[in-house]
Amino acid sequence: MKLSWTTGDQRNRPLIRASEDGGEKLIDPFGPSRAVTFTESTVMTTICSYRRSVAGCCFFFAIGAVSGCVKQAAELGSNPEPRQVAGAIEMHPFQFGDDFAPPRSGRDPATLPPAIDFAPGTVTLAGTASAEIVDSRLFDPPIANRPPFNGRQIRPAKMLPKHSRDKTLPRTPPNDLRAGGLNGTSRIEPEAAFPGITQSPWRPPDPSIAVGVGHVVETVNMEIAWYRKDGTPEFQQRLDSSGDPGFLESVGAGGFTFDPKCFYDSYVDRYVMIALEVYGDDREAWITMAVSDDGDPNGLWFKYRMWALVASGEREYWVDFPGFGFDDRGWYVTGNLFALAGGDGPGFLGSIVRSIDKTGPLAGEPVVWNDRVVNGASYQVAHAPDAGDEVCFVRSSGQTRLEIARIDEPFGPDPWTTDDVAVPEFSSGGTAVTPIGPGLWVVDARIWQAYRRQDRLVASHAIKSSGSEDVVARWYEVDLGGTPVLEMSGEIRLGDGEYTIFPSIAINGNGAIGMIYGRTSLVNHPSIEIAGRIPEDAAGTMSVGREAVAGQTSPNDGTDLQRWGDYFDCTVDPTDDLTFWAVGEIQTEAGWQTEIFSFRVGVPADFNRDGRVDGQDLGILLLEFGGPGIADLNGDGIVTGVDLGLFLADW
């Protein structure tokens, strides 16, 4: 088969001319064309560069041969209009002046799979999806050269099908449990810090990061990027079909992807990311996934588009607000199931739990998954990086309860089991104030992140605790050694009128806890702070937070509450299992800006920064005794017996 570019259609969009055996056909790589089958032993790696300017457009199409493989070109979703650039204002395909319309897939409904038929509590082998193999090194350019976005932003929620659920927390049995506070000690040692992805057409960014051996991968609404750990950018593209090309475009992603999340799977040395798609008028719902072929995100990615339209009774449901995590057995996606228009049945069905067998994606082979529909909403998947630890699922289930769920055999018929854990009373957060503008919407008291290490589970959310209208970050540590029970809990409470929001939490190999959260008040613009604790700290206490990045201003584009977050992210560096990495959001004069940074949690006397104060640190102090150095704990310029006394107090 011979491929070549030809002139565009009525919208001046270039087409591919495919010629074989004396015949030819035209293929629109950005429209609802049928898949092209390549015979013999070839694989098509589709790298379509799609850039528009006043001068016209340019496309790049790369084809690579791989022995022994047969691939199909993925069917690509249609865009109603190409991306436009007018001066410094970049328009997204679904932005039409002062208004916009929901995206359409453009696919023939006859080509879509049937909805996944469920009754709550059942398990089904939902199917498989084949990989598109795409080489990120062939993107031209790898870092998209776009003008700064200063057009009207779109809230992804406005492009979703109408959906709602009762977010009232059930009344659960009262208790006398109390959350702790701050211990007055600083435990934070900042390390790397650099800006991440800047303002795109979508808000909020919903930032997520994955940290491997040499790189940091970041996702936000509609974009993906990665950097070296010193902050050097190496790649950035849109996720959707407005990119150069879009990172997920070759596997079929159209013009609307949202709620991306990512992690680094330390068991297999891979970066993994997902994003959701829904086209309500076309009755389509997808979970799109990309997996790096090794520990370097530069290179091949295996990309999958997994069907996610669920049927129950006479209604069909789509997936929203994903949780995403891993253990040594598989990868796990959760999501709220909301009804599409039409049919009889509840508007909210519960949650989908998708267990993904990672064996196939590690080699670019088809992915197989197992689906459950369970009662409850907004489950987070606890990352479980220690061998033998099984994944847990966590949610707020009442005013005094968390629910901890498990699946003993995620790829078998074993039931979904749950335990309630009593926690101090709370109610849903509402709004947070800012110096200018109408303030921030804090969403509700859903769990934002969870992490498991051995028999310890940590989780965090933003709540209103008893006796206050201020929204504060709360964290938990749960003992999983038997029936789950609360070990301790605490709050980042900074005083009246101070709001701490969108907390994200992780725990490292030494049992230290790291947190990131947003802070705002009537006098301080929304900023990013980090805090931490070590196991020796008093139960329920967290160290005094440290400002990581100060906000320059507050979001303010009208009278409506502003979206923020909707979540931050925190993880642990796999190279030392000590260093924390986090990403959050601030507002600049040019729009939102994500910030990426790393930090340690420890004590000042840990001179070699291995997470312990021991004889090695004493050796450093003795070598520096009588002179300056890192062992000068009291800061008087010389290491003396006073510093030795402070050191022994931390031993």
Side-chain angles (χ1 to χ4, degrees), residues 370-623:
N370 190 336
D371 283 341
R372 289 168 171 82
V373 172
V374 300
N375 294 323
S378 302
Y379 287 96
Q380 281 299 331
V381 187
H383 293 195
D386 292 336
D389 287 349
E390 297 178 351
V391 70
C392 291
F393 307 84
V394 190
R395 74 180 186 101
S396 304
S397 63
Q399 293 183 318
T400 59
R401 292 288 188 272
L402 300 182
E403 180 183 283
I404 312 294
R406 301 179 306 278
I407 309 174
D408 291 335
E409 294 292 336
F411 307 111
D414 284 8
W416 172 266
T417 59
T418 62
D419 290 287
D420 283 338
V421 175
V423 300
E425 184 177 356
F426 63 90
S427 60
S428 276
T431 62
V433 302
T434 52
I436 60 174
L440 308 177
W441 184 44
V442 186
V443 190
D444 54 41
R446 68 186 66 184
I447 296 294
W448 293 116
Q449 190 170 33
Y451 230 92
R452 175 177 185 172
R453 303 302 299 262
Q454 304 296 321
D455 289 334
R456 301 173 67 190
L457 174 78
V458 295
S460 59
H461 59 167
I463 56 94
K464 292 180 182 178
S465 62
S466 180
S468 175
E469 287 299 309
D470 294 345
V471 178
V472 297
R474 179 186 281 184
W475 61 272
Y476 306 98
E477 182 179 323
V478 176
D479 184 352
L480 300 176
T483 300
V485 62
L486 181 68
E487 184 75 17
M488 67 181 82
S489 65
E491 294 174 356
I492 309 297
R493 189 175 295 277
L494 304 176
D496 292 342
E498 295 281 353
Y499 294 74
T500 53
I501 56 179
F502 296 112
S504 192
I505 192 168
I507 181 171
N508 70 13
N510 280 349
I513 293 173
M515 286 186 65
I516 175 179
Y517 54 90
R519 178 180 182 178
T520 184
S521 69
L522 286 174
V523 296
N524 293 308
H525 295 298
S527 61
I528 301 171
E529 290 195 352
I530 48 181
R533 59 170 277 116
I534 60 175
E536 293 77 15
D537 287 335
T541 64
M542 185 69 63
S543 70
V544 173
R546 178 167 182 161
E547 184 176 86
V549 185
Q552 300 176 17
T553 185
S554 303
N556 180 24
D557 63 1
T559 60
D560 294 337
L561 286 170
Q562 304 295 286
R563 294 298 295 264
W564 195 252
D566 275 346
Y567 38 80
F568 293 175
D569 199 6
C570 187
T571 190
V572 179
D573 196 312
T575 59
D576 60 12
D577 204 16
L578 296 174
T579 303
F580 295 93
W581 286 84
V583 62
E585 172 191 358
I586 61 168
Q587 187 79 7
T588 72
E589 295 296 339
W592 59 256
Q593 168 73 54
T594 63
E595 297 283 341
I596 299 169
F597 44 91
S598 62
F599 60 97
R600 296 274 188 123
V601 175
V603 296
D606 180 18
F607 303 134
N608 64 355
R609 306 174 78 181
D610 64 355
R612 300 180 297 275
V613 179
D614 54 21
Q616 295 184 29
D617 303 294
L618 177 60
I620 294 172
L621 184 146
L622 295 175
L623 286 173

Side-chain angles (χ1 to χ4, degrees), residues 69 73 75 124 133 205 217 223 346-347 406 429 482 517 520 535 557 625 634:
C69 297
E75 184 180 351
T124 182
I133 304 174
V217 174
E223 299 212 10
R406 301 179 306 278
Y517 54 90
T520 184
D557 63 1
F625 202 87
N634 67 348

